[in-house]
Amino acid sequence: MDFVENVGRRNRVAGDNGEFIHVGMLSLNGYERNTLYRNLGNGEFRDVGYLEGADRIEDGRGLGLLDVDTDGDLDMVTCNYLLPARLLINHMPKGRHWIRLWLQGTSSNRSAIGARVALQHGARRQSREVRSTAGYLSGQSLYLHFGLARDRVVDRLVVYWPSGKIQELDGVPADRFYRIVEGAEEPIPVFSPKSEITIVPAAARTE
């Protein structure tokens, strides 16, 4: 039996008598242009990959989102088969705001897996769920990140915990990273790029 390279098995296996067929740029698994979609806010998405320099021809295998330069927006790391990983830095326009949340369960599991956050800022509403996986060969941060456009305050933030508890917070300032403990009355600021103040959680401190 012959094996097509990039499809199925990746390496020669002892006992296999077949030959690998090299299909190069005709790989059945990839080498297509990457796409990056912008949420238009009306139920539609637009591919803006060519505008943002993300439409590379690669054989993508995984995607990670994180704020590498701690400027309040999410950057991307792509993992490609037989190619180096790539870091795409996101440059947020001036006047845009954000909020990032780290949920910590007490009655629920400590990592708050399965918790859902719904927030309202101005006329907009958003919702995110805490998950540890996303997509093929990709993990996902337990932190929840929300872009707030030009709104400086989250008017209403509701956490639906796996335990069944519901926690509501009002008037939460934007542009900060907060830790929200199940049952606590106030969110705990962890980091703010503007103030450059970091509060290290007690569990992460070392002598």
Side-chain angles (χ1 to χ4, degrees):
M1 177 182 294
D2 295 334
F3 303 105
V4 178
E5 187 183 30
N6 297 335
V7 179
R9 306 190 193 193
R10 296 290 183 262
N11 300 306
R12 298 179 183 276
V13 179
D16 288 337
N17 297 318
E19 295 295 329
F20 279 77
I21 302 173
H22 299 280
V23 294
M25 297 298 289
L26 300 179
S27 167
L28 302 182
N29 270 356
Y31 293 109
E32 301 174 356
R33 286 197 177 276
N34 293 332
T35 55
L36 176 66
Y37 290 96
R38 179 183 181 185
N39 187 346
L40 301 181
N42 59 359
E44 298 180 358
F45 293 81
R46 177 177 298 162
D47 182 9
V48 296
Y50 69 102
L51 295 174
E52 304 297 339
D55 63 337
R56 301 173 181 272
I57 298 178
E58 296 173 328
D59 197 349
R61 286 293 182 269
L63 173 68
L65 301 176
L66 69 163
D67 187 1
V68 173
D69 47 4
T70 64
D71 63 349
D73 56 37
L74 292 178
D75 309 302
M76 296 191 299
V77 177
T78 61
C79 180
N80 305 289
Y81 177 57
L82 295 181
L83 289 171
R86 296 190 183 276
L87 172 62
L88 302 179
I89 299 295
N90 183 18
H91 297 290
M92 182 169 54
K94 292 183 179 180
R96 304 301 172 89
H97 304 282
W98 57 276
I99 192 171
R100 188 173 302 138
L101 307 174
W102 170 24
L103 272 56
Q104 191 174 88
T106 53
S107 299
S108 304
N109 64 87
R110 185 174 177 81
S111 297
I113 300 294
R116 182 170 64 89
V117 172
L119 56 79
Q120 179 176 347
H121 54 102
R124 295 182 174 89
R125 295 183 179 182
Q126 298 189 58
S127 178
R128 299 258 194 281
E129 182 177 321
V130 179
R131 295 184 295 174
S132 59
T133 60
Y136 177 67
L137 294 181
S138 301
Q140 179 166 307
S141 172
L142 299 181
Y143 303 151
L144 299 180
H145 184 98
F146 297 86
L148 303 178
R150 298 187 181 278
D151 296 321
R152 297 175 180 273
V153 175
V154 174
D155 301 307
R156 187 166 182 263
L157 189 156
V158 183
V159 183
Y160 299 89
W161 297 94
S163 65
K165 293 182 178 180
I166 299 177
Q167 188 169 345
E168 299 185 18
L169 301 168
D170 296 324
V172 183
D175 301 327
R176 289 174 176 82
F177 176 23
Y178 294 99
R179 179 164 63 101
I180 298 179
V181 179
E182 185 176 8
E185 295 183 358
E186 299 290 338
I188 303 170
V190 178
F191 175 74
S192 171
K194 290 183 177 180
S195 63
E196 297 184 350
I197 295 176
T198 302
I199 300 175
V200 180
R205 294 175 186 161
T206 57
E207 297 299 333

